[in-house]
Structure formats: structure tokens, C-alpha cells
Amino acid sequence: MTAYNVVRFRTKPGLEDEFEDWFCKLRRDFEGLRKMALIKTGDRSYCSIGEWESYDHIIAARPKMISNLDKFRHSLEVQGESIDVTDAVSGEAIYESAPTR
């Protein structure tokens, strides 16, 4: 069953370009990853969305994803009291839809 992971990021002031460069150039040859997108959602705010073949693939890729994060972690702000530099959620799709033509 298709699964997704969603991660929110907020960069430190002046480090947006560095964050974008790091995020875009890192390898993402994770087994089961179908596609990944980085979305700019506001001033210094971003969201990444990954589409996976299954939730088990997300779990298996977590060590590599954390290793990638460690390369640009210094460019990110802590987001809140109970949220570190990323606010991540993931799970299996309950509903998906594509436009009909």
C-alpha cells in the first residue's frame, strides 16, 4: 500500500539557499521511494513530501534519511518546545485520487 512521509523545516535566517542546495543534491536512492518533492511554504519555511511503495520502506530508510538530515541540520531552526528541527509524520494512504480525463 502506498505510504507518504511529510517533513516541515524552517531555516535559520540567511541559510535558505544553503538548505535548498543541500536538500536538492543529496542522494535519495532509498529502496521503495517513488518520488520526493521540496515545497517552499513561506519565508524560510519548507515542506518535503515523499511517496513510497510501503510504510515498511519508510521505516527501512530512516537511518539514511537521518544521515542526510545531519548534513544540513546546522541550517535549521528548532521549531518549538516539543518539535526539534524537523516536524515529521508518515503513514499509509487511506485515500488517493488522480484527475480523470
Side-chain angles (χ1 to χ4, degrees):
M1 176 174 279
T2 302
Y4 293 88
N5 73 311
V6 179
V7 183
R8 289 186 316 130
F9 307 93
R10 183 165 175 83
T11 65
K12 292 177 180 173
L15 296 180
E16 301 88 33
D17 290 341
E18 182 177 342
F19 164 76
E20 290 175 18
D21 288 345
W22 269 110
F23 190 95
C24 295
K25 76 179 180 183
L26 290 171
R27 293 184 60 182
R28 290 197 173 67
D29 53 351
F30 309 129
E31 184 176 337
L33 179 63
R34 292 180 180 161
K35 60 184 173 178
M36 173 79 62
L38 179 64
I39 303 149
K40 186 163 179 123
T41 60
D43 183 39
R44 300 183 5 240
S45 296
Y46 299 84
C47 177
S48 69
I49 301 173
E51 179 183 325
W52 300 78
E53 291 177 17
S54 72
Y55 187 67
D56 288 339
H57 284 103
I58 294 173
I59 293 168
R62 282 184 182 152
K64 287 183 180 179
M65 288 190 286
I66 291 168
S67 177
N68 275 356
L69 171 63
D70 287 343
K71 292 175 177 62
F72 59 81
R73 184 183 298 271
H74 67 278
S75 68
L76 301 174
E77 279 188 351
V78 172
Q79 296 188 42
E81 223 173 270
S82 62
I83 303 172
D84 195 24
V85 296
T86 63
D87 183 14
V89 295
S90 59
E92 293 180 333
I94 300 300
Y95 173 79
E96 294 180 286
S97 178
T100 56
R101 297 177 190 227

